[in-house]
Amino acid sequence: MSELLQTVLDSEERSDLRQFFSEIRHQDKKYLLRNDILMSYVEYCNKYQKSAEFYSGSHLGKLIYYTQEIILENGNLCLIIRQKIASQEFYRITEDLMVEVLTIQELLDVRDRFVNRYHPNEGDILELDFGPFYDYTPTIRDPKNIGKGVQYLNRYLSSKLFQDPRQWLESMFNFLQVHQYDGIQLLINGRIKSHQQLSDQIKRAIAFVGDRASEEPYENFKFDLQMMGFEPGWGNTAGRVQDTLSILDELIDSPDPQTLEAFISRIPMIFKIALVSSHGWFGQEGVLGRPDTGGQVVYILDQVKSLEKQLQEDTTLAGLDGMNVKPKVVILTRLIPNSDGTLCNQRLEKVYGTENAWILRVPLREFNPKLTQNWISRFELWPYLETFAIDAEKELLAELHGKPDLIIGNYSDGNLVAFLLSRRMKITQCNIAHALEKSKYLFSNLYWQDLEDKYHFSLQFTADLIAMNAANFVISSTYQEIVGTRDSVGQYESYKSFTMPDLYHVVSGVELFSPKFNVVPPGVNESYYFPYSRMEDRVPSDRERVEDLLFTLDDPVQAYGKLDDPSKRPIFSVARLDRIKNLTGLAECFGKSEALQEHCNLILIAGKLRVEESEDNEEKDEIVKLYSIIDQYNLHGKIRWLGVRLPKSASGEVYRVIADRHGIFVQPALFEAFGLTVLEAMISGLPTFATQFGGPLEIIQDKVNGFYINPTHLEETADKILEFVTKCEQNPNYWYEISTRGIDRVYSTYTWKIHTTRLLSLARIYGFWNFISKENREDLLRYLEALFYLIYRPRAQQLLEQHMHR
């Protein structure tokens, strides 16, 4: 039993526990989440006049703090206690405080009974348990190290491998032999016939290049190195070749994990990368802000540009320019014939600002052209992904003239396609989720049957389980994306155990302590987003146009609302109009605070202005709601709502123009997986207020370079913004201080150069360990295939049949 629970039961607080549980039993709610529990505890302490010390310092107070859920069943309380990150305990407590430890299977049955979906007379339900597949793989022990998987993997496997010097040298020798580019041998050739000879020749080659000028080009002495057994790939100059060979020499003589990582990160083994963003509307003009695409398109385009640049840089440093090596990056997405004037109906589109990065579009098969020739919501795309992957494989092989060296999935559908392609082509698979829907929609798994017609969560969550377990490594933007915080469950953690009533029970859905998880935050595109103070890089005519658009332009097609006093300090936000992004919540927060309205205007850039222009039901609801809030709080003259799609150059200038007027940026999402707009605002110099639920919690250091807000507490949020505005009016330097610290924060931690260097290093290191350890994942992959063919595919076929009759 939990030591904390036992302490409460053995102390004088036992009577308070009994009384509090009695209060819980008499509530209308039968399923309480953490916020409900804390609010109930506040009410209990107020009702019985408990001291502040008792509320927060008592053992009972701590127990309540760590209790994530309470389910009432037949007078008993089922408690889910999460005293440690990534670890939960389950108990049933009776009215007389008898405690029974529950297994995960028993807890899932309780949840099924709660929604009247427990049928013991019909036999057991399918249980999914991935735990055994991780029993024989290394796992991290300390939760603090979750998300630092490659560091742990290096230490763990290095220590095992280095214990046997002969095996270690033989493994490294075999690894160096396999590298080629388009059939041309790299690194070592047949003149080096053994690991012992390799060691000797390395020392000889180091001495040889050491006698040459450090900057002497590799081409001048490549034939000498070839005679010693060394092919291109060691470096582009004598100095670079010497450095690389010296690292390997040190690694052979006295191996350690840091030297190993430094060496593997230099190996030329990745030249072709495929990124999958399958649900479409993926383009560079006229598509940003469409439902389902905005943030993901921005992220991938910026990532691809940086990846290609880094691959070119790595290729040059490796000395491969003379071989005419041209790294290539392909974004795989779907082709949409009815593309609404965009380029989404073109098979191939070059990515702006790159030499060899492309958007490759593959059409869906025409099961029902009324659907497949048009955009399809991410919630409806599932029936087409298997055949899309089959067709995409042929297109990728043709476009890349061979297999990619790395495939990166994006979002649930893209990750499933990446799994199918990786399985067929036997290549390294990386997963990037951006956001997992399961944690965005409350009780989405418990009530999946009620939501199935609209969201098809049974397919989505099954796809997530398959992809995250199949991936060789997983990139998350933040630590909490994986395992949350002390008082919140992480996105991946929410897949640890859950029920899909009448479908399956997930006993162990993901190993959170697996070294496959790595935190690699994205960057911000510095070509478009840079500090407002860099006037030499700003275009005066762009600035004037943006100022007019934001504050004065009278155009009912693009703008709603005319500002009575455009000189007021602007509060600015930009996002698509959906429930989670919560721009309507920000408008209501502004509407409820007359003091804030006296000092500021609210400016929103948000999707469409009219319901009839939208194809997305949630966006339509939010449009109606936003108009209602403007009328309810009489915000006419104080709010301006722009329904525009801006190119990146203009969106960067928007932030800077707001900063020119000493404005602020507010990101009010109910949950934000990362927060790219937070980075864009901060690097532009805007003091930023962002949701405390999700990624911004790790980007911003509260009251140092930005501010946290709880978007569900409207008055509190308004007070925080007003406090900042008041301080700035009293001390104008305060705005500059927060602005400067925000800029510094982004440049030190969140650049695409940092991101892609780390991502490629991870891909090489995981590829190395897969080769060396020859890890047999076939049992896991077969299990995942069974899940795909026996659960996913039949449900996808059912959805396809529905689509055929539309």
Side-chain angles (χ1 to χ4, degrees), residues 475-533:
I475 294 297
S476 74
S477 299
T478 61
Y479 172 85
Q480 62 185 301
E481 187 179 319
I482 309 169
V483 286
T485 63
R486 281 183 51 140
D487 51 14
S488 67
V489 173
Q491 290 189 64
Y492 282 95
E493 187 181 357
S494 72
Y495 285 77
K496 178 68 178 172
S497 60
F498 63 96
T499 174
M500 301 286 283
D502 292 334
L503 185 62
Y504 53 65
H505 281 176
V506 177
V507 174
S508 178
V510 59
E511 177 49 76
L512 299 166
F513 290 84
S514 167
K516 72 167 60 180
F517 285 104
N518 293 273
V519 176
V520 185
V524 61
N525 189 323
E526 296 168 54
S527 300
Y528 299 110
Y529 303 101
F530 53 84
Y532 73 101
S533 54

Side-chain angles (χ1 to χ4, degrees), residues 163 178 255 312 434 686 695 712 759 762:
Q163 288 171 10
V178 302
Q312 289 174 338
H434 300 291
L686 276 177
T712 62
L759 174 56
L762 289 172

